[in-house]
Amino acid sequence: MYKNSRGRPRAVLAAVAVAQFAVALDLSVVNVALPAIRTALGFTPLDLSWVVHVYALTLGGFLLLGGRACDLYGRRRLFVFGLGVFGLCSLAGGLAQAPWQLIAARAGQGLGAAAATPATLAMLTTTFPEGPQRVRALGVWSGVNAAGGALGVLAGGLLTQYAGWRWVMLINLPIVAVALALVHGGVPAEARPARLERLDVLGAVLATGGVGLLVTGVVRTDAQGWDSPATWTMLVAAAMLLAGFVVTESRASAPLLRLGLLRSRWVAGANVLVFFSTAGQFAAFYFVSLYMQQVLGMGAAATGAAFLPFSISLVAGTLVATRVTAARTPRASLVPGALLAAVGLTWFAFISSDGGFLTDVLGPCIITGIGVGLVIAPIVAAATTGVAPHEAGMASGLMNSSRQLGGCIGLAALAALATIAAHRTGTATDPAAINDGYALGLAIAAALFVLAAVVAIVVLPRHRAESPAPQPATTAENRLEGTPS
């Protein structure tokens, strides 16, 4: 069963890794180029933030829809479609001549990534059988995903300084071209279904609207504040739409998200875990980056280069996690990894306003990197443990939505708390006060990783035996996979 979807495993893994690297790179590569973009295109300070926020908004809002679509209409098709849209919008962004053109291009990149990202994980889980082979493949996916995000800051600084800001967009084109070539050479196309299964349209509207309003409300707190009526209006509306989504999915015959999937302790625990750990990771990355630039006075390129020890440590942690998870269970790596990341971030919380890279950054950067590496690979394995092949995209879309929401909500909330702490101890330009705010944010990020460890201990099973009860594939899904209906 599902043999025709397997293709050449190494080619599938290579294509998926290259594509996911491009998507992860795009999450951070633009940040360093924002001042140059503002000068070149004439952005207002308020509008400039949408260059970052609109990508997060469209990516987070459409991940569940993209995941379910790749289950129904073909993982390879959604992968190619998503990458194609991502590449074309990267080109449009690199050629943008006005603010609205760049914002539209970034929105298109998010849509493309929302189709391609669930497809990458679904292709891996249907190509590699559950066990050590899948764990190793997911370890590669997790490693390149984390490395892409971490190296984005370095790449953004170097490209902006030496090639121009447009190359932070155009750099995606050769990467996308390589990924599409690998797919063409090693991943067979699924058989076209005789009858296309209809998507859960109402569920898609409710999920996209709810997640979109949630992300928008959270990311706009930098301008409106958490006490703004506009912020709470969006958050309440998001809660109502998401509640409606849950009710709709419990009654739908072909739901966008089968709620029974969450009965699995693996799936439910992994999604809570990825929310907490990503919130802590994104916030830590943000605070340490600002600490090096605003307190230590390091330039953009130097700040990017300073994250290389973190990237190397993260890859090392991922390699260890892959071996541990393959031999035992995801939990065996998740618990020590989350606690080690908490130790590194607690060390970070003692940063000094008159410190330096070697004394305040290097050591905790290495420890945190190893800890995060031990966490990110087994989370993906846990989130897909026991998931039926015809629901691989659904599980992938769910996990990536949790990751995106954790990053957005965690970063916005901790940044707001850090700002409040800084204002209570000094002015917005006082390095000592800014440092106190960053230290508080890093301490809370450490606490989030402790919560992640608790979830791993309490929720995740000790053995791999538990898995969600597989649901029968629909007629269209059977035909899509080339199996009898």
Side-chain angles (χ1 to χ4, degrees):
M1 190 172 181
Y2 304 104
K3 288 183 178 179
N4 74 325
S5 67
R6 298 266 169 111
R8 293 162 49 196
R10 291 185 180 179
V12 173
L13 180 58
V16 163
V18 172
Q20 193 57 35
F21 180 83
V23 172
L25 186 77
D26 216 56
L27 284 169
S28 57
V29 72
V30 174
N31 293 351
V32 181
L34 289 177
I37 291 172
R38 177 183 175 184
T39 300
L41 299 184
F43 272 92
T44 65
L46 186 60
D47 290 340
L48 185 64
S49 65
W50 278 103
V51 175
V52 175
H53 292 335
V54 75
Y55 183 82
L57 174 62
T58 52
L59 175 58
F62 287 91
L63 275 169
L64 278 177
L65 180 60
R68 187 54 178 156
C70 80
D71 282 337
L72 297 183
Y73 306 136
R75 294 171 281 275
R76 185 183 188 273
R77 292 189 188 94
L78 263 292
F79 182 82
V80 171
F81 170 77
L83 274 187
V85 171
F86 183 83
L88 289 174
C89 290
S90 297
L91 175 61
L95 299 177
Q97 301 297 316
W100 71 267
Q101 294 173 352
L102 182 58
I103 291 175
R106 290 286 287 166
Q109 283 183 308
L111 287 172
T117 300
T120 61
L121 267 182
M123 286 167 64
L124 287 184
T125 56
T126 53
T127 298
F128 295 90
E130 194 167 297
Q133 290 184 43
R134 182 183 294 182
V135 168
R136 285 192 288 270
L138 293 176
V140 172
W141 184 93
S142 301
V144 298
N145 190 53
L151 292 176
V153 177
L154 173 60
L158 294 176
L159 289 170
T160 302
Q161 185 168 341
Y162 297 111
W165 71 267
R166 295 183 183 278
W167 280 97
V168 302
M169 304 290 289
L170 298 176
I171 189 63
N172 292 321
L173 298 180
I175 303 176
V176 167
V178 171
L180 290 175
L182 288 168
V183 168
H184 180 73
V187 183
E190 297 99 342
R192 288 187 176 276
R195 178 178 61 87
L196 290 180
E197 188 79 12
R198 293 182 62 184
L199 277 173
D200 174 16
V201 177
L202 179 58
V205 170
L206 292 171
T208 301
V211 173
L213 282 175
L214 179 60
V215 172
T216 302
V218 169
V219 301
R220 295 306 293 150
T221 55
D222 60 350
Q224 298 174 340
W226 284 96
D227 57 350
S228 166
T231 296
W232 283 101
T233 298
M234 281 189 283
L235 294 181
V236 170
M240 294 175 64
L241 288 175
L242 292 175
F245 170 73
V246 172
V247 173
T248 299
E249 299 310 279
S250 66
R251 300 174 178 176
S253 58
L256 195 69
L257 173 63
R258 184 175 64 83
L259 299 182
L261 196 65
L262 296 176
R263 295 194 187 101
S264 164
R265 290 169 61 191
W266 282 117
V267 175
N271 277 275
V272 175
L273 234 161
V274 77
F275 182 90
F276 284 138
S277 61
T278 307
Q281 179 188 344
F282 276 37
F285 192 84
Y286 173 79
F287 290 129
V288 174
S289 176
L290 289 180
Y291 169 73
M292 287 191 283
Q293 294 182 73
Q294 296 187 7
V295 179
L296 301 185
M298 298 170 61
T303 299
F307 274 100
L308 281 177
F310 174 83
S311 301
I312 295 171
S313 302
L314 187 147
V315 172
T318 301
L319 292 174
V320 173
T322 301
R323 290 181 176 272
V324 171
T325 304
R328 302 178 65 185
T329 68
R331 174 177 162 155
S333 177
L334 282 167
V335 175
L339 293 177
L340 189 61
V343 170
L345 290 172
T346 301
W347 186 356
F348 261 136
F350 289 95
I351 52 177
S352 169
S353 59
D354 58 355
F357 172 75
L358 293 178
T359 57
D360 291 70
V361 177
L362 183 59
C365 201
I366 292 173
I367 291 178
T368 304
I370 294 174
V372 171
L374 288 170
V375 168
I376 57 174
I379 278 183
V380 182
T384 56
T385 294
V387 175
H390 67 274
E391 293 184 330
M394 182 187 293
S396 173
L398 176 62
M399 191 214 69
N400 280 289
S401 294
S402 299
R403 182 194 299 273
Q404 189 68 17
L405 289 174
C408 289
I409 295 174
L411 178 56
L414 268 63
L417 290 173
T419 300
I420 293 171
H423 286 169
R424 286 181 177 176
T425 57
T427 66
T429 58
D430 180 7
I434 295 173
N435 184 82
D436 289 345
Y438 296 161
L440 174 63
L442 288 164
I444 298 175
L448 290 173
F449 271 100
V450 173
L451 283 175
V454 171
V455 171
I457 293 171
V458 174
V459 180
L460 296 185
R462 292 180 177 274
H463 307 288
R464 295 183 188 272
E466 185 196 314
S467 63
Q471 299 296 307
T474 65
T475 300
E477 287 163 347
N478 279 327
R479 288 172 179 166
L480 185 63
E481 299 292 350
T483 59
S485 56

